[in-house]
């Protein structure tokens, strides 16, 4: 169950995790040359839909980069699981690992137990996607409670292109309280 509802416009929390290249990465902070960041939370190596989604994201990576949007993927998987998963992934953006239950709860993610030891050996988050703007605020977010519901990347890219166009003066949506 989600511990808290993450709100559009909130500051993205500071979460640092390791990547396979041996560095730590701050999930919500864009790398040099970018002013926005997209954080894609995936279920883990055990999820074939996640593998397909991450590989599809690689195909659109340069288009997101042209909009000034940096990319990172993250899961609760261990270093060993992510290393094994890389055999099925054709991605060049950073993949972070070791997302804790507390961090999942901080992000308002749905958390599931594995159905069996064949699936995985730890609780994992269901899919989530956060686009963080240049002020560190969550501009766009999508949180799902299952692997079958997640944003279509081409539609997301088109929408972010519209949002990033200064002529549109598009605000963060969904902030009414």
């Amino acid at each position: 169950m989600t511990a808290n509802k993450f709100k559009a416009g909130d500051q993205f929390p500071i979460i640092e995790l390791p990547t396979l290249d041996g560095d730590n990465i701050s999930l919500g902070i864009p790398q040099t040359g970018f002013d926005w960041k997209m954080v894609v939370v995936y279920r883990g190596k055990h999820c074939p839909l996640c593998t397909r989604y991450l590989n599809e994201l690689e195909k659109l990576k340069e288009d997101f980069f042209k909009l000034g949007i940096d990319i990172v993927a993250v899961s609760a998987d261990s270093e060993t699981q992510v290393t094994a998963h890389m055999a099925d992934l054709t991605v060049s953006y950073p993949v972070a690992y070791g997302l804790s239950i507390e961090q999942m709860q901080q992000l308002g993610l749905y958390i599931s137990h594995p159905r069996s030891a064949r699936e995985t050996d730890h609780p994992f988050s269901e899919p989530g996607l956060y686009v963080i703007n240049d002020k560190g605020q969550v501009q766009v977010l999508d949180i799902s409670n299952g692997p079958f519901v997640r944003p279509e990347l081409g539609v997301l890219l088109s929408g972010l292109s519209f949002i990033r166009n200064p002529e549109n003066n598009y605000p963060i949506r969904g902030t009414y309280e």
Side-chain angles (χ1 to χ4, degrees):
M1 186 167 205
T2 303
N4 65 333
K5 182 178 178 185
F6 200 90
K7 296 178 186 164
D10 280 355
Q11 290 289 307
F12 193 83
I14 296 171
I15 296 176
E16 288 200 17
L17 292 171
T19 62
L20 289 181
D21 63 9
D23 292 330
N24 279 354
I25 192 167
S26 186
L27 295 184
I29 298 176
Q31 301 299 306
T32 303
F34 300 98
D35 60 346
W36 284 33
K37 182 82 172 241
M38 182 165 62
V39 178
V40 178
V41 182
Y42 69 100
R43 300 171 81 228
K45 176 187 181 304
H46 67 277
C47 177
L49 294 173
C50 295
T51 300
R52 184 172 65 205
Y53 196 77
L54 295 176
N55 285 332
E56 182 182 339
L57 178 58
E58 177 68 23
K59 293 175 187 171
L60 296 172
K61 175 187 76 171
E62 292 301 324
D63 295 319
F64 284 100
F65 286 177
K66 287 177 189 172
L67 292 177
I69 301 170
D70 191 17
I71 298 170
V72 64
V74 62
S75 74
D77 278 356
S78 68
E79 180 179 13
T80 301
Q81 289 167 318
V82 173
T83 300
H85 194 194
M86 293 308 286
D88 297 321
L89 294 174
T90 54
V91 303
S92 59
Y93 51 81
V95 178
Y97 60 89
L99 192 66
S100 71
I101 290 174
E102 293 79 18
Q103 290 164 332
M104 292 180 224
Q105 290 170 328
Q106 188 178 18
L107 293 173
L109 294 163
Y110 289 95
I111 303 169
S112 294
H113 292 283
R115 294 183 304 153
S116 70
R118 279 189 13 222
E119 188 172 50
T120 191
D121 61 353
H122 55 81
F124 56 90
S125 73
E126 294 297 338
L129 188 145
Y130 306 85
V131 179
I132 299 102
N133 66 25
D134 56 348
K135 296 179 179 85
Q137 298 171 292
V138 176
Q139 180 82 31
V140 175
L141 71 130
D142 184 86
I143 298 171
S144 177
N145 72 324
F148 315 107
V149 181
R150 55 184 98 201
E152 183 183 330
L153 291 168
V155 173
L156 177 62
L157 180 64
S158 176
L160 291 172
S161 179
F162 183 85
I163 290 170
R164 301 275 348 236
N165 182 341
E167 292 178 17
N168 294 324
N169 194 28
Y170 198 81
I172 298 172
R173 307 307 298 174
T175 58
Y176 178 85
E177 289 193 33

mmCIF file of all heavy atoms in Angstrom, residues 132-172:
data_model
loop_
_atom_site.group_PDB
_atom_site.id
_atom_site.type_symbol
_atom_site.label_atom_id
_atom_site.label_comp_id
_atom_site.label_asym_id
_atom_site.label_seq_id
_atom_site.Cartn_x
_atom_site.Cartn_y
_atom_site.Cartn_z
ATOM 1 N N ILE A 132 11.138 15.710 -13.451
ATOM 2 C CA ILE A 132 11.490 16.779 -12.524
ATOM 3 C C ILE A 132 11.979 17.976 -13.329
ATOM 4 O O ILE A 132 12.850 17.836 -14.191
ATOM 5 C CB ILE A 132 12.584 16.303 -11.540
ATOM 6 C CG1 ILE A 132 12.072 15.125 -10.713
ATOM 7 C CG2 ILE A 132 13.011 17.421 -10.616
ATOM 8 C CD1 ILE A 132 12.579 13.811 -11.160
ATOM 9 N N ASN A 133 11.402 19.154 -13.046
ATOM 10 C CA ASN A 133 11.762 20.358 -13.803
ATOM 11 C C ASN A 133 13.030 21.014 -13.248
ATOM 12 O O ASN A 133 13.647 20.502 -12.304
ATOM 13 C CB ASN A 133 10.584 21.337 -13.876
ATOM 14 C CG ASN A 133 10.202 21.917 -12.533
ATOM 15 O OD1 ASN A 133 10.985 22.001 -11.599
ATOM 16 N ND2 ASN A 133 8.941 22.339 -12.420
ATOM 17 N N ASP A 134 13.384 22.157 -13.809
ATOM 18 C CA ASP A 134 14.625 22.834 -13.442
ATOM 19 C C ASP A 134 14.596 23.451 -12.043
ATOM 20 O O ASP A 134 15.615 23.927 -11.557
ATOM 21 C CB ASP A 134 14.997 23.886 -14.483
ATOM 22 C CG ASP A 134 13.903 24.908 -14.731
ATOM 23 O OD1 ASP A 134 12.749 24.707 -14.280
ATOM 24 O OD2 ASP A 134 14.193 25.917 -15.390
ATOM 25 N N LYS A 135 13.436 23.446 -11.397
ATOM 26 C CA LYS A 135 13.330 23.932 -10.017
ATOM 27 C C LYS A 135 13.331 22.770 -9.014
ATOM 28 O O LYS A 135 13.136 22.988 -7.821
ATOM 29 C CB LYS A 135 12.067 24.774 -9.862
ATOM 30 C CG LYS A 135 12.084 26.044 -10.704
ATOM 31 C CD LYS A 135 10.776 26.811 -10.515
ATOM 32 C CE LYS A 135 10.783 28.084 -11.313
ATOM 33 N NZ LYS A 135 10.359 27.921 -12.695
ATOM 34 N N GLY A 136 13.496 21.545 -9.521
ATOM 35 C CA GLY A 136 13.488 20.365 -8.654
ATOM 36 C C GLY A 136 12.096 19.872 -8.322
ATOM 37 O O GLY A 136 11.938 18.978 -7.498
ATOM 38 N N GLN A 137 11.082 20.465 -8.964
ATOM 39 C CA GLN A 137 9.694 20.072 -8.715
ATOM 40 C C GLN A 137 9.268 18.967 -9.676
ATOM 41 O O GLN A 137 9.705 18.926 -10.823
ATOM 42 C CB GLN A 137 8.750 21.259 -8.936
ATOM 43 C CG GLN A 137 8.995 22.425 -8.024
ATOM 44 C CD GLN A 137 8.169 23.611 -8.485
ATOM 45 O OE1 GLN A 137 8.437 24.167 -9.546
ATOM 46 N NE2 GLN A 137 7.191 23.982 -7.701
ATOM 47 N N VAL A 138 8.359 18.122 -9.202
ATOM 48 C CA VAL A 138 7.819 17.087 -10.065
ATOM 49 C C VAL A 138 6.784 17.728 -10.982
ATOM 50 O O VAL A 138 5.721 18.156 -10.549
ATOM 51 C CB VAL A 138 7.216 15.934 -9.250
ATOM 52 C CG1 VAL A 138 6.561 14.911 -10.169
ATOM 53 C CG2 VAL A 138 8.299 15.269 -8.413
ATOM 54 N N GLN A 139 7.135 17.824 -12.248
ATOM 55 C CA GLN A 139 6.283 18.433 -13.269
ATOM 56 C C GLN A 139 5.215 17.444 -13.729
ATOM 57 O O GLN A 139 4.072 17.813 -13.930
ATOM 58 C CB GLN A 139 7.147 18.863 -14.457
ATOM 59 C CG GLN A 139 6.396 19.520 -15.590
ATOM 60 C CD GLN A 139 6.129 20.988 -15.339
ATOM 61 O OE1 GLN A 139 6.909 21.665 -14.669
ATOM 62 N NE2 GLN A 139 5.036 21.494 -15.867
ATOM 63 N N VAL A 140 5.614 16.194 -13.920
ATOM 64 C CA VAL A 140 4.717 15.136 -14.398
ATOM 65 C C VAL A 140 5.027 13.875 -13.608
ATOM 66 O O VAL A 140 6.194 13.570 -13.351
ATOM 67 C CB VAL A 140 4.944 14.868 -15.907
ATOM 68 C CG1 VAL A 140 4.111 13.686 -16.390
ATOM 69 C CG2 VAL A 140 4.657 16.100 -16.741
ATOM 70 N N LEU A 141 3.982 13.130 -13.218
ATOM 71 C CA LEU A 141 4.217 11.862 -12.560
ATOM 72 C C LEU A 141 3.151 10.858 -12.929
ATOM 73 O O LEU A 141 2.023 11.233 -13.274
ATOM 74 C CB LEU A 141 4.298 12.007 -11.041
ATOM 75 C CG LEU A 141 3.020 12.317 -10.293
ATOM 76 C CD1 LEU A 141 2.878 11.347 -9.141
ATOM 77 C CD2 LEU A 141 3.077 13.725 -9.744
ATOM 78 N N ASP A 142 3.533 9.602 -12.882
ATOM 79 C CA ASP A 142 2.622 8.501 -13.140
ATOM 80 C C ASP A 142 3.022 7.364 -12.212
ATOM 81 O O ASP A 142 4.175 6.941 -12.217
ATOM 82 C CB ASP A 142 2.717 8.053 -14.603
ATOM 83 C CG ASP A 142 1.708 6.971 -14.914
ATOM 84 O OD1 ASP A 142 0.568 7.313 -15.243
ATOM 85 O OD2 ASP A 142 2.078 5.776 -14.814
ATOM 86 N N ILE A 143 2.077 6.917 -11.406
ATOM 87 C CA ILE A 143 2.327 5.825 -10.464
ATOM 88 C C ILE A 143 1.282 4.757 -10.727
ATOM 89 O O ILE A 143 0.087 5.051 -10.773
ATOM 90 C CB ILE A 143 2.239 6.319 -9.001
ATOM 91 C CG1 ILE A 143 3.312 7.372 -8.750
ATOM 92 C CG2 ILE A 143 2.382 5.163 -8.031
ATOM 93 C CD1 ILE A 143 3.181 8.078 -7.410
ATOM 94 N N SER A 144 1.730 3.508 -10.898
ATOM 95 C CA SER A 144 0.835 2.404 -11.206
ATOM 96 C C SER A 144 0.917 1.339 -10.119
ATOM 97 O O SER A 144 1.934 1.218 -9.446
ATOM 98 C CB SER A 144 1.217 1.796 -12.557
ATOM 99 O OG SER A 144 0.417 0.678 -12.845
ATOM 100 N N ASN A 145 -0.142 0.568 -9.997
ATOM 101 C CA ASN A 145 -0.108 -0.537 -9.039
ATOM 102 C C ASN A 145 0.102 -1.881 -9.733
ATOM 103 O O ASN A 145 -0.036 -2.922 -9.126
ATOM 104 C CB ASN A 145 -1.377 -0.572 -8.190
ATOM 105 C CG ASN A 145 -2.574 -1.030 -8.987
ATOM 106 O OD1 ASN A 145 -2.702 -0.707 -10.166
ATOM 107 N ND2 ASN A 145 -3.460 -1.788 -8.358
ATOM 108 N N GLY A 146 0.436 -1.849 -11.014
ATOM 109 C CA GLY A 146 0.702 -3.089 -11.735
ATOM 110 C C GLY A 146 1.527 -2.831 -12.978
ATOM 111 O O GLY A 146 1.617 -1.700 -13.461
ATOM 112 N N PRO A 147 2.103 -3.879 -13.537
ATOM 113 C CA PRO A 147 3.031 -3.727 -14.657
ATOM 114 C C PRO A 147 2.377 -3.346 -15.974
ATOM 115 O O PRO A 147 3.059 -2.954 -16.909
ATOM 116 C CB PRO A 147 3.682 -5.108 -14.763
ATOM 117 C CG PRO A 147 2.655 -6.042 -14.240
ATOM 118 C CD PRO A 147 1.969 -5.288 -13.138
ATOM 119 N N PHE A 148 1.068 -3.443 -16.072
ATOM 120 C CA PHE A 148 0.375 -3.264 -17.345
ATOM 121 C C PHE A 148 -0.001 -1.827 -17.643
ATOM 122 O O PHE A 148 -0.472 -1.529 -18.730
ATOM 123 C CB PHE A 148 -0.882 -4.135 -17.366
ATOM 124 C CG PHE A 148 -0.622 -5.525 -16.849
ATOM 125 C CD1 PHE A 148 -1.091 -5.917 -15.609
ATOM 126 C CD2 PHE A 148 0.145 -6.417 -17.585
ATOM 127 C CE1 PHE A 148 -0.833 -7.183 -15.125
ATOM 128 C CE2 PHE A 148 0.419 -7.685 -17.102
ATOM 129 C CZ PHE A 148 -0.073 -8.076 -15.866
ATOM 130 N N VAL A 149 0.185 -0.937 -16.681
ATOM 131 C CA VAL A 149 -0.220 0.457 -16.847
ATOM 132 C C VAL A 149 0.997 1.347 -16.630
ATOM 133 O O VAL A 149 1.545 1.409 -15.534
ATOM 134 C CB VAL A 149 -1.329 0.843 -15.837
ATOM 135 C CG1 VAL A 149 -1.748 2.274 -16.036
ATOM 136 C CG2 VAL A 149 -2.516 -0.098 -15.955
ATOM 137 N N ARG A 150 1.403 2.015 -17.696
ATOM 138 C CA ARG A 150 2.503 2.977 -17.631
ATOM 139 C C ARG A 150 2.404 3.877 -18.850
ATOM 140 O O ARG A 150 1.805 3.506 -19.847
ATOM 141 C CB ARG A 150 3.856 2.291 -17.496
ATOM 142 C CG ARG A 150 4.160 1.276 -18.543
ATOM 143 C CD ARG A 150 5.475 0.574 -18.278
ATOM 144 N NE ARG A 150 5.265 -0.700 -17.617
ATOM 145 C CZ ARG A 150 6.177 -1.342 -16.924
ATOM 146 N NH1 ARG A 150 7.368 -0.842 -16.783
ATOM 147 N NH2 ARG A 150 5.937 -2.489 -16.354
ATOM 148 N N PRO A 151 2.973 5.079 -18.789
ATOM 149 C CA PRO A 151 2.807 6.027 -19.894
ATOM 150 C C PRO A 151 3.418 5.526 -21.201
ATOM 151 O O PRO A 151 4.504 4.944 -21.202
ATOM 152 C CB PRO A 151 3.541 7.283 -19.435
ATOM 153 C CG PRO A 151 3.910 7.075 -18.026
ATOM 154 C CD PRO A 151 3.776 5.625 -17.706
ATOM 155 N N GLU A 152 2.699 5.756 -22.291
ATOM 156 C CA GLU A 152 3.256 5.476 -23.611
ATOM 157 C C GLU A 152 4.341 6.518 -23.860
ATOM 158 O O GLU A 152 4.091 7.728 -23.793
ATOM 159 C CB GLU A 152 2.171 5.564 -24.673
ATOM 160 C CG GLU A 152 2.669 5.213 -26.038
ATOM 161 C CD GLU A 152 1.613 5.366 -27.108
ATOM 162 O OE1 GLU A 152 0.418 5.186 -26.810
ATOM 163 O OE2 GLU A 152 2.004 5.688 -28.241
ATOM 164 N N LEU A 153 5.534 6.068 -24.151
ATOM 165 C CA LEU A 153 6.683 6.968 -24.211
ATOM 166 C C LEU A 153 6.586 7.991 -25.337
ATOM 167 O O LEU A 153 6.994 9.139 -25.160
ATOM 168 C CB LEU A 153 7.977 6.164 -24.311
ATOM 169 C CG LEU A 153 8.323 5.399 -23.028
ATOM 170 C CD1 LEU A 153 9.434 4.391 -23.276
ATOM 171 C CD2 LEU A 153 8.706 6.372 -21.915
ATOM 172 N N GLY A 154 6.036 7.632 -26.478
ATOM 173 C CA GLY A 154 5.887 8.592 -27.572
ATOM 174 C C GLY A 154 4.930 9.709 -27.214
ATOM 175 O O GLY A 154 5.175 10.886 -27.530
ATOM 176 N N VAL A 155 3.840 9.367 -26.539
ATOM 177 C CA VAL A 155 2.869 10.375 -26.103
ATOM 178 C C VAL A 155 3.503 11.268 -25.033
ATOM 179 O O VAL A 155 3.342 12.487 -25.047
ATOM 180 C CB VAL A 155 1.576 9.702 -25.584
ATOM 181 C CG1 VAL A 155 0.639 10.719 -24.969
ATOM 182 C CG2 VAL A 155 0.883 8.931 -26.701
ATOM 183 N N LEU A 156 4.237 10.668 -24.113
ATOM 184 C CA LEU A 156 4.927 11.431 -23.070
ATOM 185 C C LEU A 156 5.920 12.403 -23.691
ATOM 186 O O LEU A 156 5.965 13.581 -23.311
ATOM 187 C CB LEU A 156 5.639 10.483 -22.111
ATOM 188 C CG LEU A 156 6.468 11.133 -21.006
ATOM 189 C CD1 LEU A 156 5.600 11.982 -20.085
ATOM 190 C CD2 LEU A 156 7.226 10.074 -20.220
ATOM 191 N N LEU A 157 6.686 11.941 -24.655
ATOM 192 C CA LEU A 157 7.654 12.790 -25.335
ATOM 193 C C LEU A 157 6.966 13.982 -25.998
ATOM 194 O O LEU A 157 7.409 15.127 -25.859
ATOM 195 C CB LEU A 157 8.434 11.982 -26.366
ATOM 196 C CG LEU A 157 9.485 12.723 -27.166
ATOM 197 C CD1 LEU A 157 10.597 13.245 -26.269
ATOM 198 C CD2 LEU A 157 10.052 11.810 -28.243
ATOM 199 N N SER A 158 5.874 13.732 -26.678
ATOM 200 C CA SER A 158 5.115 14.798 -27.329
ATOM 201 C C SER A 158 4.591 15.804 -26.301
ATOM 202 O O SER A 158 4.689 17.017 -26.495
ATOM 203 C CB SER A 158 3.958 14.190 -28.120
ATOM 204 O OG SER A 158 3.154 15.186 -28.682
ATOM 205 N N GLY A 159 4.055 15.306 -25.207
ATOM 206 C CA GLY A 159 3.544 16.186 -24.160
ATOM 207 C C GLY A 159 4.639 17.020 -23.522
ATOM 208 O O GLY A 159 4.453 18.216 -23.256
ATOM 209 N N LEU A 160 5.786 16.410 -23.275
ATOM 210 C CA LEU A 160 6.891 17.158 -22.675
ATOM 211 C C LEU A 160 7.440 18.194 -23.644
ATOM 212 O O LEU A 160 7.861 19.282 -23.223
ATOM 213 C CB LEU A 160 7.997 16.200 -22.213
ATOM 214 C CG LEU A 160 7.621 15.326 -21.016
ATOM 215 C CD1 LEU A 160 8.690 14.280 -20.755
ATOM 216 C CD2 LEU A 160 7.348 16.165 -19.781
ATOM 217 N N SER A 161 7.406 17.912 -24.919
ATOM 218 C CA SER A 161 7.800 18.902 -25.923
ATOM 219 C C SER A 161 6.878 20.119 -25.845
ATOM 220 O O SER A 161 7.327 21.265 -25.901
ATOM 221 C CB SER A 161 7.754 18.277 -27.315
ATOM 222 O OG SER A 161 8.110 19.226 -28.288
ATOM 223 N N PHE A 162 5.583 19.881 -25.676
ATOM 224 C CA PHE A 162 4.612 20.964 -25.534
ATOM 225 C C PHE A 162 4.871 21.757 -24.250
ATOM 226 O O PHE A 162 4.917 22.985 -24.254
ATOM 227 C CB PHE A 162 3.186 20.401 -25.536
ATOM 228 C CG PHE A 162 2.126 21.447 -25.453
ATOM 229 C CD1 PHE A 162 1.669 22.098 -26.591
ATOM 230 C CD2 PHE A 162 1.577 21.807 -24.223
ATOM 231 C CE1 PHE A 162 0.692 23.073 -26.522
ATOM 232 C CE2 PHE A 162 0.593 22.782 -24.139
ATOM 233 C CZ PHE A 162 0.150 23.418 -25.291
ATOM 234 N N ILE A 163 5.082 21.038 -23.148
ATOM 235 C CA ILE A 163 5.315 21.683 -21.855
ATOM 236 C C ILE A 163 6.589 22.525 -21.892
ATOM 237 O O ILE A 163 6.629 23.631 -21.366
ATOM 238 C CB ILE A 163 5.402 20.622 -20.729
ATOM 239 C CG1 ILE A 163 4.030 20.003 -20.477
ATOM 240 C CG2 ILE A 163 5.966 21.230 -19.442
ATOM 241 C CD1 ILE A 163 4.072 18.775 -19.556
ATOM 242 N N ARG A 164 7.639 22.019 -22.512
ATOM 243 C CA ARG A 164 8.938 22.703 -22.524
ATOM 244 C C ARG A 164 8.965 23.910 -23.446
ATOM 245 O O ARG A 164 9.866 24.735 -23.357
ATOM 246 C CB ARG A 164 10.064 21.747 -22.932
ATOM 247 C CG ARG A 164 10.251 20.537 -22.064
ATOM 248 C CD ARG A 164 11.101 20.638 -20.822
ATOM 249 N NE ARG A 164 11.911 21.769 -20.592
ATOM 250 C CZ ARG A 164 13.214 21.773 -20.379
ATOM 251 N NH1 ARG A 164 13.889 20.660 -20.415
ATOM 252 N NH2 ARG A 164 13.864 22.876 -20.118
ATOM 253 N N ASN A 165 7.993 24.038 -24.341
ATOM 254 C CA ASN A 165 7.926 25.186 -25.244
ATOM 255 C C ASN A 165 7.493 26.418 -24.445
ATOM 256 O O ASN A 165 6.369 26.481 -23.963
ATOM 257 C CB ASN A 165 6.940 24.909 -26.379
ATOM 258 C CG ASN A 165 6.868 26.043 -27.377
ATOM 259 O OD1 ASN A 165 7.255 27.173 -27.102
ATOM 260 N ND2 ASN A 165 6.354 25.737 -28.556
ATOM 261 N N PRO A 166 8.347 27.424 -24.300
ATOM 262 C CA PRO A 166 8.017 28.597 -23.476
ATOM 263 C C PRO A 166 6.777 29.357 -23.965
ATOM 264 O O PRO A 166 6.101 29.997 -23.169
ATOM 265 C CB PRO A 166 9.258 29.483 -23.574
ATOM 266 C CG PRO A 166 10.304 28.698 -24.254
ATOM 267 C CD PRO A 166 9.685 27.503 -24.867
ATOM 268 N N GLU A 167 6.470 29.257 -25.238
ATOM 269 C CA GLU A 167 5.285 29.939 -25.768
ATOM 270 C C GLU A 167 3.995 29.388 -25.177
ATOM 271 O O GLU A 167 2.976 30.090 -25.135
ATOM 272 C CB GLU A 167 5.240 29.819 -27.294
ATOM 273 C CG GLU A 167 6.345 30.584 -27.986
ATOM 274 C CD GLU A 167 6.298 30.406 -29.497
ATOM 275 O OE1 GLU A 167 5.258 29.967 -30.029
ATOM 276 O OE2 GLU A 167 7.319 30.713 -30.137
ATOM 277 N N ASN A 168 4.024 28.143 -24.696
ATOM 278 C CA ASN A 168 2.806 27.521 -24.162
ATOM 279 C C ASN A 168 2.557 27.863 -22.697
ATOM 280 O O ASN A 168 1.458 27.671 -22.210
ATOM 281 C CB ASN A 168 2.865 26.013 -24.362
ATOM 282 C CG ASN A 168 2.823 25.653 -25.825
ATOM 283 O OD1 ASN A 168 2.148 26.304 -26.618
ATOM 284 N ND2 ASN A 168 3.555 24.615 -26.197
ATOM 285 N N ASN A 169 3.583 28.321 -21.977
ATOM 286 C CA ASN A 169 3.434 28.704 -20.576
ATOM 287 C C ASN A 169 2.592 27.670 -19.814
ATOM 288 O O ASN A 169 1.626 28.001 -19.147
ATOM 289 C CB ASN A 169 2.811 30.105 -20.469
ATOM 290 C CG ASN A 169 2.952 30.680 -19.078
ATOM 291 O OD1 ASN A 169 3.889 30.358 -18.349
ATOM 292 N ND2 ASN A 169 2.003 31.516 -18.704
ATOM 293 N N TYR A 170 2.965 26.425 -19.940
ATOM 294 C CA TYR A 170 2.172 25.317 -19.391
ATOM 295 C C TYR A 170 2.558 25.059 -17.933
ATOM 296 O O TYR A 170 3.705 24.739 -17.628
ATOM 297 C CB TYR A 170 2.397 24.059 -20.226
ATOM 298 C CG TYR A 170 1.335 23.019 -20.033
ATOM 299 C CD1 TYR A 170 0.121 23.111 -20.700
ATOM 300 C CD2 TYR A 170 1.525 21.938 -19.187
ATOM 301 C CE1 TYR A 170 -0.867 22.158 -20.538
ATOM 302 C CE2 TYR A 170 0.548 20.976 -19.010
ATOM 303 C CZ TYR A 170 -0.644 21.088 -19.691
ATOM 304 O OH TYR A 170 -1.622 20.144 -19.521
ATOM 305 N N PRO A 171 1.608 25.181 -17.013
ATOM 306 C CA PRO A 171 1.918 25.002 -15.582
ATOM 307 C C PRO A 171 1.943 23.528 -15.183
ATOM 308 O O PRO A 171 1.555 22.652 -15.956
ATOM 309 C CB PRO A 171 0.739 25.702 -14.905
ATOM 310 C CG PRO A 171 -0.403 25.451 -15.848
ATOM 311 C CD PRO A 171 0.205 25.523 -17.233
ATOM 312 N N ILE A 172 2.362 23.277 -13.966
ATOM 313 C CA ILE A 172 2.247 21.937 -13.379
ATOM 314 C C ILE A 172 0.766 21.696 -13.151
ATOM 315 O O ILE A 172 0.087 22.513 -12.520
ATOM 316 C CB ILE A 172 3.036 21.841 -12.064
ATOM 317 C CG1 ILE A 172 4.531 22.075 -12.318
ATOM 318 C CG2 ILE A 172 2.803 20.490 -11.398
ATOM 319 C CD1 ILE A 172 5.366 22.189 -11.065
#
